[in-house]
Amino acid sequence: MLSDRTHRGATSLQRRVLALVGGAALVFSACGGSTTSPSGVSATASAAPPPSQAASSASPAPSDAGYTGPEATISYSIWGDPAEIKNQQAVVDAFHVVNPKITVKVTVSDWDTYWDKLQTGIAGGDAPDVFAMDGPLFPDYQSRDVLLDLKPYIDRSGYDLGQLADQAVADFTTPTGQFGLPRDLNVIALFYNKKMFDAASAPYPDETWDWAKLVQVAHKLTTDTNGDGKPDQWGFYTETSDMENYWSSLVWQNGGDILAPDGKSTVLGTDQAAGGIQFLQDLIWKEKVMPDPALFAEVGDAFEQGKAAMEANGSWLVATHQAAGIDLGIAPLPKGPAGQATSINPTGAVVYAKTKSPDAAWEFVKYLASPAAQTKLMELRASLPANKEVLAGPYASSFDGAKVLADALAYAHIKPSFKGYNDFATTLQTELDANVFNEPTETAKQAIDKVLPALNELLAGQ
């Protein structure tokens, strides 16, 4: 089981839906692709040649004229909240208008169930034709030869990868090919409740804030109004159970890193890296401006519930926080001693290597990254578009704070992606949760040093 993010429970993780959903019909069971072909036409007749053939055969002029193959039905599997599928129908309808010969059936599952179903489908040779892929987990799947190399399709159609965010494209690129296209992005920012700030006459966060300013204002916004000795409003909140939510950004802001340049060992044991994680522990147990994670482990996001004035978390939460009625402000994460940094993590759309309809699957994956579909993504406010035209244009002015999120790409670090990521993250996070965040029985440096040999062993075995 893929457990790296499961610690988040029913909070932001289950709300982080894939923001682009395609398909003419919505179903809730995974199915392999099928192709209905006109008499005498093979289901694979129009598939791109393998790389070895593509290089030696005459190539037609680059074309983006749309799908011209046989009628096809393909399956598309995503994780997310089934209720939000309704919001994606416009993308489905638009795709079907320009590709009427392709029917896409969408399956949706929560995070844990999604990966369990995917593993079962792959093992049985019946995986979805197109499925969502989390950036850090991509190498584990690509190395198993279960993903279709899209490079021949890209070359044949003259598709311009430069129209998509560079970091996100790179996350699905290997020395041997391109095994997916990014479909959306997420960055980490500082959310704040304007009403709480106004009530406390506190200045809104902005790009000048640093760690010291965060602590100072968080103290002012941590209040015990009923006098029982326990805060009923916290100055700050974040989820501690995954590096993406905040602590990886703190590592980078403190001048540290997670992996060595060659990716064969971790450098989390340095004073800079451990110091970033220590800052988060101190917010909970030393400064006492952030709740003990156990207080909200069962009930969910403290900021969303109006129990915290600020939150460091992902752009996937914008729509959720707005729907909760929060007078929402969005600012860059406060700078650390080494400057500004945040995390970027793309979600990609990949194609099953054994799909019976590779051309139709490619057409759909390509559409998900198109300006038309990415504009629909923008309207949902569930994540950032991966398409540069939409990201830098209409998205940046689509809501208050959107430009902050778009601008964050300039100083963002990609969330680590490597084979064995899940085991690495589980080993590390289990130690941090138990002895650094949930209880301060160890310093961040002590906890990291304890698991450092195991982490390096996992990385060395890649």
Side-chain angles (χ1 to χ4, degrees), residues 229-396:
K230 300 177 182 179
D232 38 48
Q233 175 182 296
W234 301 88
F236 181 78
Y237 173 77
T238 190
E239 295 176 56
T240 58
S241 56
D242 187 294
M243 70 172 72
E244 182 178 1
N245 298 94
Y246 192 33
W247 71 249
S248 62
S249 297
L250 294 174
V251 167
W252 294 317
Q253 290 172 12
N254 204 41
D257 210 338
I258 297 167
L259 299 181
D262 64 1
K264 297 298 184 181
S265 62
T266 180
V267 290
L268 280 171
T270 65
D271 290 342
Q272 293 90 341
I277 299 173
Q278 186 62 49
F279 177 72
L280 182 54
Q281 184 193 54
D282 288 347
L283 289 176
I284 305 168
W285 298 107
K286 179 182 176 182
E287 303 295 343
K288 300 186 185 300
V289 295
M290 175 179 161
D292 169 355
L295 292 178
F296 289 91
E298 299 300 325
V299 296
D301 193 311
F303 181 79
E304 182 185 330
Q305 296 175 35
K307 299 294 185 181
M310 291 181 283
E311 174 179 36
N313 221 322
S315 49
W316 62 85
L317 284 174
V318 170
T320 300
H321 288 339
Q322 290 176 335
I326 296 171
D327 189 0
L328 185 67
I330 303 175
L333 290 178
K335 299 174 184 177
Q340 183 59 286
T342 188
S343 171
I344 178 177
N345 186 18
T347 295
V350 299
V351 178
Y352 182 41
K354 296 181 180 179
T355 178
K356 298 176 182 178
S357 304
D359 279 3
W362 159 245
E363 202 66 38
F364 180 61
V365 167
K366 182 173 61 172
Y367 182 81
L368 291 176
S370 70
Q374 295 275 295
T375 298
K376 294 298 181 184
L377 165 64
M378 173 191 77
E379 294 169 354
L380 292 171
R381 300 183 183 179
S383 49
L384 279 69
N387 187 282
K388 292 178 180 177
E389 175 186 334
V390 179
L391 184 63
Y395 176 80

Side-chain angles (χ1 to χ4, degrees), residues 76 114 128-133 138 147-148 150 172 179-181 348-352 361 365:
Y76 177 42
Y114 173 81
D129 299 284
V130 178
F131 52 94
M133 179 54 60
F138 163 75
L147 305 182
L148 184 69
L150 301 180
F172 301 99
F179 292 87
L181 293 185
V350 299
V351 178
Y352 182 41
V365 167

Side-chain angles (χ1 to χ4, degrees), residues 48-59:
S52 59
Q53 296 178 19
S56 59
S57 61
S59 300

Side-chain angles (χ1 to χ4, degrees), residues 89-255:
Q89 190 62 48
V91 175
V92 170
D93 294 342
F95 175 74
H96 196 60
V97 166
V98 295
N99 295 280
K101 297 172 73 176
I102 304 175
T103 297
V104 182
K105 296 184 177 181
V106 183
T107 66
V108 59
S109 306
D110 63 36
W111 175 265
D112 289 337
T113 305
Y114 173 81
W115 296 105
D116 290 342
K117 286 183 176 179
L118 185 59
Q119 296 272 37
T120 300
I122 289 173
D126 190 31
D129 299 284
V130 178
F131 52 94
M133 179 54 60
D134 188 47
L137 303 181
F138 163 75
D140 282 305
Y141 283 83
Q142 191 278 327
S143 63
R144 293 160 58 188
D145 296 325
V146 298
L147 305 182
L148 184 69
D149 183 6
L150 301 180
K151 185 67 162 54
Y153 300 83
I154 292 168
D155 291 344
R156 184 182 67 182
S157 64
Y159 185 81
D160 180 17
L161 288 172
Q163 66 186 289
L164 307 178
D166 298 333
Q167 303 108 310
V169 171
D171 228 21
F172 301 99
T173 305
T174 76
T176 61
Q178 185 72 38
F179 292 87
L181 293 185
R183 204 246 9 242
D184 64 57
L185 311 171
N186 279 287
V187 296
I188 307 302
L190 185 67
F191 301 127
Y192 60 97
N193 188 316
K194 293 180 180 179
K195 290 183 179 178
M196 289 184 179
F197 272 73
D198 292 344
S201 298
Y204 290 164
D206 60 25
E207 69 280 357
T208 68
W209 274 37
D210 58 13
W211 287 4
K213 186 68 171 182
L214 174 67
V215 171
Q216 175 193 346
V217 177
H219 273 293
K220 186 173 184 178
L221 290 162
T222 301
T223 60
D224 173 18
T225 58
N226 61 11
D228 66 354
K230 300 177 182 179
D232 38 48
Q233 175 182 296
W234 301 88
F236 181 78
Y237 173 77
T238 190
E239 295 176 56
T240 58
S241 56
D242 187 294
M243 70 172 72
E244 182 178 1
N245 298 94
Y246 192 33
W247 71 249
S248 62
S249 297
L250 294 174
V251 167
W252 294 317
Q253 290 172 12
N254 204 41

